[in-house]
Amino acid sequence: MALSGIQIYKLLPQTNCKECGFPTCLAFAMKLAAKQVELGSCPYVSDASKKQLAESAAPPIRLITLKAGTEVKAGNEVVMFRHEKTFYNKPGLFVRVKASDPELAAKAAKADAYKVNYVGMDFTVDGFAVEADGGDFVGAVKAVRNMTRRPLILIADDAALLDSALSLLAGESALIYAANSSNYEALADVAKKYKAALVLKADSFDAFADLTQKVQAKGVEDMVLDLGGKNLGEWLARSTQARRLAIKANQRALGYPTIFFAGQSGPEKEAVYAAQAIAKYAGFVVLDTFTPELAYALLVLRENIYTDPQKPIQVQPGIYEINSPNADSPVLVTTNFSITYFSVANEVEGSGLPAWLVVTDAEGMSVLTAWAAGKFDAERIAKAIKGFDVASKINKKRIVLPGHVAVLSGELEEELAGWEIRVGPREAVDLPAFMKQVLN
Amino acid sequence: MQHTISFTHNEKQSSVSVPTGTMLSDAAHLAGVEIGQPCGGQGRCGRCAVLVTGGNVRRRSTLRLSPADVEQGYALACQSVVEGDVVINVPPQEKIERRLTTDRVVAEVTVPLDYDFDQHQSIHRVYLELTPPTMEDQTDDWARLQTVLRTQANIPEVICSLHLLQTLGKTLRDGEWRVTVVVDSDMEFPEKPVRLIEVFPGRVDDYSPLWGCAIDIGTTTVSLWLVDLVSGHVRAQVAEYNGQIARGEDVISRIIYSGKAGGEQEMRQLVLDTINDLLETACKRVKARPEDVMKATIAGNSTMMHLLLGIPAGSIRLSPFITAVNHPPVMLAKEVGINIHHEGAVDCLPGVASYVGADITAGVLSSGLEHAEHVTLFIDVGTNGEIVLGNRDWLVTCACSAGPAFEGAGVVNGMRATQGAIEEVWINGETFEPTYRVIGGGKPKGICGSGLISLLAEAFLTGVIDKAGNVNLMAGSSRVREGSHGGEYVIVRGAESESGEDIVITRVDIDNLLRAKAAIYAGFSILADTVGVPLEMADRVLVGGSFGKYINVEKAVQIGLLPDMEWSRFEFLGNTSVKGAYAALLDWRMRDRITEIAKRMTYVELSADNSFYDAFTSALFLPHTDMSRFPSVAEALSSKVEGRTSD
Amino acid sequence: MPIEIPKDKWPGSIKKVTLGGTSAEGGTRAKSVTVGGETTLPYLHFEAPTPNKPLIAIEIKSHKPDDWSPLLAEIWGDAMNDPARWAQKAEEAGADLIVLALTLADSPDDAVKVVKSVLGATGLPLIVWGPGQAEKDNDLLVPVAEATKGEKLMLGICEDKNYRTIVAAAMANGHVIQARTPMDVNLAKQLNILITDMGLPADRIMMDPTTGALGYGIEYGYSVMERLRLAALQGDAMTQLPMIVTPGFEAWKAKESKVGEGVPEAWGDWKARAIHWETLTAIALVESGADIIVLRHPESVKRVKDTIEELVTV
């Protein structure tokens, strides 16, 4: 269990020596509780305390890293709900190709080349799952490996076959799918030999716990669980249970990430299956269908769910249209803190008056906070006005500043030559009246 | 069945016969005895308390009375039902107000019990008799003075200013070689030379005052205490709005303003003017002159300290929020620009961080928090609400931007807690008519911090505003109306106010107050969460701030400014910052302790993640979105509803 | 190794809200529908079954909207010019309820008329939204509420600024309120408190927490809903209300759904993408506890209904 700042403080020397770089032991303890520093920074902590603190800090779900030319990680999660802290490692999206498929290379190539940009970030799929379904498995693995630098999942239950395939992947960390209670010994040996991670299948948590311990005894530490389940509802239940067992019951034997096959009920349902897996704790998601529109939607969902919720809630900077503004509508300026944006947008929207709302990048702070921190100053506002090409949308070069930053109007006049700078009300609630009475 | 009720009021007797079940207040009315019921007979204000000296009544509610009061026989006339013959004594109103359990009057300032001028004060006054020079004894004046300081006052080494040397010869001769000197010694470092501040001709009476002043520079209010260092007594207390207000209400505006051309100099001059005016006023009261004041000890937040000293404050505002100096060295008054004796020392107390300044270290000292055995919460409600949680083992602190509303600024009809300020308000729950109390008793000029707290609580409990602070325009009273900033409530009509204008509270004022109280409450909850100590664990809650001379804890809880705990756990300390400065001014040991406190405190940055915002929105409601945190308010609200249906 | 599955036992549960007045209640609906009643986090059957499965509403407007995606115009065709027919087509597409959004062009008389005609065209329970401006909402919703007493409509959209008038109208005429707040747990709870303080029972309120769309802030809506549901189960009465969400409105605002040209090639096929956008937005909200899901496209309706069916089937 995670310890609070005060609990950790009691385990520290309480000398306020400052050698850790913090002014007091309590400040250091609070940073430790927030996992923002390492205990190693304290030169005087006792061995007993060290042990106790290390135990409380161990991650309940093992971190699994698949590695080839690129890397994908799963595990190390600490919460059931993203708002409690954050979800850390985005589930890897893998595309399944079958050894018997003559189009295998082309299919993999298309998915491998896929790249899409979302708010300035480039997203791709994370890797491929090659399935031994009767064709030339080793040849297929070779073909895929020649095609992509991304990590692979090898789907086969024949240890010898896996051995030959893995011998082609020297220096990589692949994922083997899948061992069960009858074949785990042979597969664990191969996994150990090639430092691969191993997926386990079992039909109950009791059986999973037995199996993880046995595989561990064979010298394999990196495991992934396939929880099975006949439909969405059952998989949701199992996934929730697995996460709870690891995080809340501290069940180390079940503290591994999971894998989910989204195409199991056919292509019609694949998007929805994958979406649930992304939201509900999967460590790896395997797709049977690859289309750009599906990949894009899933990659965006994954990014959204795994965004750190502790960061201030922001809206996208830009110019927003309210009540269908035209070239004579006023231009209002505010920051990109979501609540600020909402209160301004809602007041104006509710009034029925058309307006352009310029939302500047103030790093998600409210008008006053951003101004206080220097993130909402004349320079930044001018940059937004120019950057969003506001002038092209309107006839009269005029902007309205929030009343709280009336002091900026002088500087803004210098930054935005030729523009009229008006100071609006301090409170959003007064905007409609201001727009009616003052701006016309 | 009829019962006889006998009243004694203003030494007059009257009686009336009423049936069983009559409310005592109604019986009084029938008997021609008027008992004030500012809250409209809802048992909220406690102003109708009477003493039952014979017989018995059934008390429906004793909300505002302590168990001891009930034991003595007190009952609320509006909440007590006649069930037999009774004898009632109606006490004078002032007496009632003094005994209400929820009002916390600022603790009196007392001289520390063990204060010893000779031992604890760094300023000393010594009478010296010099041997006049002769043709044989050709020692110069300064060496002659140094010698007697060594032989008669045990001061081995002394330094002095050019100005003193320029006048020394005349003073010695005017006093016929008998002089009284005032020196400043550093008690902590006795090896350091003592500094000569002034030489007076002749003998100055040992018991005549020797003046020092303690100053708190608040963002909104500057307070100054004039202290007789000999006896330790505070002889004058004065306060005024900080002259910098015109250049911005909060520290950030001030910092930004000071960054403009000439801004730094202007800000410095504005606060110096405020301080020097206060000094003048205080000195007049005790018939002294500013130059008679030998030392000034100053507390204030870090920004105020920088602006006073003309040190650029820009880095306080921008990440990573570093001050130029947390602990300024002792300086001379003439350098700083304060009009006390030009050789007098100005001692600026040490702070912890950009947003936790000397005001709070001084506050911790004067509140006694650093010695507390149990977890204690200390809040200094100012423009920045500073909060400290801790005990003798650990201290954590944070600052939240509350704005100046609780000091009466930034509110349409707000004012400082001085003559003419409304300091408490009751609203009749049926008619929405207000009753109020004005400091000094004259016509009201405006509302001070405690008045605003009281007004907000009453407006909320009576339904004048809803829990989100929206003025209920459907309330059906002419006191509630649509103003230029949305709904507003009229507390005083123009005919009754000093200025002839209505005194109102507007929707925007209410928002400001809500934000201020929400910021402070959010500060508590986050601070408690950060260290993992539940807020309820706090054994005592110490409240500092410039609301007025008292705060009604119940109302502060009702609006969700203070956590809901037994009233007995609250102590209202008034301006803890100036008190801390006073303690440091008097006693060098206290001065050292403030330095120690500054080293021990751990600062928590509230804006580091989303949790503050969450706690803030949650607190942006009356009393709070999570009603389970305010059980006593929930109870008061439900009894109000019951009261309505039973009527 | 025997493993005990941890089960949560919650002190609180979600209130049930019933919409649609049948003839027995003085209305004309063919049947009423009930949502809410959950005692666990969504679809955790090992703790308790889902008592009332989430329902799908299809959004129609009193006048053909000129700002909707061409994909929607194509699928609904001419019916968009006739709210009554549009409602019938929506019912055929599988809607459990109809949302009728009034517009600024409607007069109070128009509003009453169009509501009546939709009520006449379908037996499904009806949700009526004002045009979204406080004053105009009050102008239209009050006469609608009075003219439909007994129908047990849900009236929206009630926000902290305009709650008094709409709530009073709902209270007097037996309707339900849709209470919208901007993506914040505390604000949602505060509005519920304000509304119940007026005397409307909590089982006549549904929360609309505002969700954002996939790629446009859905993570906030998602977490706000999870937090509201958790608070409700923990026993916080003012969060124990079922939730209505509008992924159709949210997703079809997004460029990804709305337009087919001038977008990156990596976005893929327009129509398939648009349906994914609406569906995945809806699914994320279903997973976090939505009780009524308001959609726009019949294909999304089908997919979301299938998904819900799978989730509630043990």
Side-chain angles (χ1 to χ4, degrees), chain B residues 56-288:
Chain B
N56 220 336
V57 293
R58 182 165 59 83
R59 292 169 174 84
R60 283 206 327 202
S61 160
T62 55
L63 199 60
R64 296 299 305 261
L65 300 174
S66 67
D69 289 335
V70 176
E71 181 75 16
Q72 280 182 50
Y74 277 96
L76 298 179
C78 74
Q79 296 292 322
S80 301
V81 179
V82 171
E83 291 186 329
D85 293 354
V86 279
V87 183
I88 301 291
N89 187 359
V90 183
Q93 195 61 37
E94 315 83 67
K95 206 177 154 198
I96 289 299
E97 287 179 4
R98 245 176 278 129
R99 60 175 307 114
L100 285 174
T101 55
T102 56
D103 289 358
R104 291 279 177 277
V105 174
V106 177
E108 293 286 314
V109 183
T110 51
V111 179
L113 271 181
D114 67 343
Y115 177 62
D116 178 337
F117 172 62
D118 291 332
Q119 281 190 49
H120 304 141
Q121 182 49 253
S122 63
I123 307 281
H124 294 277
R125 186 166 59 188
V126 191
Y127 171 67
L128 301 168
E129 293 187 355
L130 289 76
T131 322
T134 61
M135 288 304 286
E136 285 71 42
D137 180 358
Q138 291 277 315
T139 312
D140 64 291
D141 293 349
W142 171 232
R144 191 172 300 274
L145 184 68
Q146 283 176 302
T147 306
V148 290
L149 274 166
R150 195 163 48 239
T151 55
Q152 293 175 27
N154 197 20
I155 296 173
E157 206 180 334
V158 66
I159 51 174
C160 90
S161 67
L162 172 61
H163 184 265
L164 265 180
L165 288 180
Q166 288 166 341
T167 53
L168 181 64
K170 182 170 188 307
T171 312
L172 290 175
R173 286 166 184 84
D174 284 356
E176 295 172 349
W177 305 99
R178 285 152 200 238
V179 290
T180 304
V181 298
V182 177
V183 294
D184 188 348
S185 62
D186 195 324
M187 307 294 283
E188 201 185 354
F189 301 104
E191 68 278 10
K192 277 169 68 180
V194 158
R195 201 164 52 80
L196 191 58
I197 299 177
E198 187 56 285
V199 183
F200 297 110
R203 178 162 198 153
V204 175
D205 177 6
D206 278 353
Y207 296 100
S208 76
L210 176 63
W211 299 109
C213 69
I215 303 172
D216 166 46
I217 308 177
T219 311
T220 304
T221 310
V222 179
S223 306
L224 182 145
W225 288 8
L226 196 57
V227 180
D228 173 7
L229 301 176
V230 178
S231 66
H233 284 294
V234 179
R235 297 299 185 194
Q237 297 184 10
V238 287
E240 189 45 79
Y241 279 146
N242 185 330
Q244 294 172 341
I245 280 190
R247 302 289 174 263
E249 284 175 359
D250 52 87
V251 292
I252 302 294
S253 318
R254 310 264 177 96
I255 293 173
I256 290 173
Y257 190 89
S258 72
K260 298 185 175 179
E264 215 161 77
Q265 190 46 42
E266 185 184 348
M267 288 304 229
R268 184 175 182 202
Q269 201 50 54
L270 284 169
V271 71
L272 282 173
D273 289 349
T274 305
I275 292 173
N276 289 330
D277 287 351
L278 285 171
L279 185 66
E280 184 103 26
T281 313
C283 287
K284 260 188 204 142
R285 279 202 204 157
V286 300
K287 301 193 168 57

Side-chain angles (χ1 to χ4, degrees), chain A residues 296-352:
Chain A
Y296 179 43
L298 292 175
L299 287 165
V300 169
L301 177 67
R302 184 179 77 168
E303 180 61 27
N304 289 167
I305 297 288
Y306 277 74
T307 294
D308 183 354
Q310 307 307 328
K311 291 199 182 133
I313 306 180
Q314 306 189 12
V315 292
Q316 196 74 11
I319 177 158
Y320 289 75
E321 301 180 7
I322 302 179
N323 299 327
S324 318
N326 59 31
D328 295 316
S329 305
V331 179
L332 314 175
V333 179
T334 192
T335 71
N336 68 329
F337 179 43
S338 73
I339 307 296
T340 302
Y341 164 79
F342 268 120
S343 45
V344 174
N346 286 352
E347 286 297 341
V348 180
E349 210 167 283
S351 72

Side-chain angles (χ1 to χ4, degrees), chain A residues 164-175:
Chain A
S164 343
L166 284 162
S167 67
L168 300 170
L169 309 176
E172 300 184 14
S173 307
L175 178 62

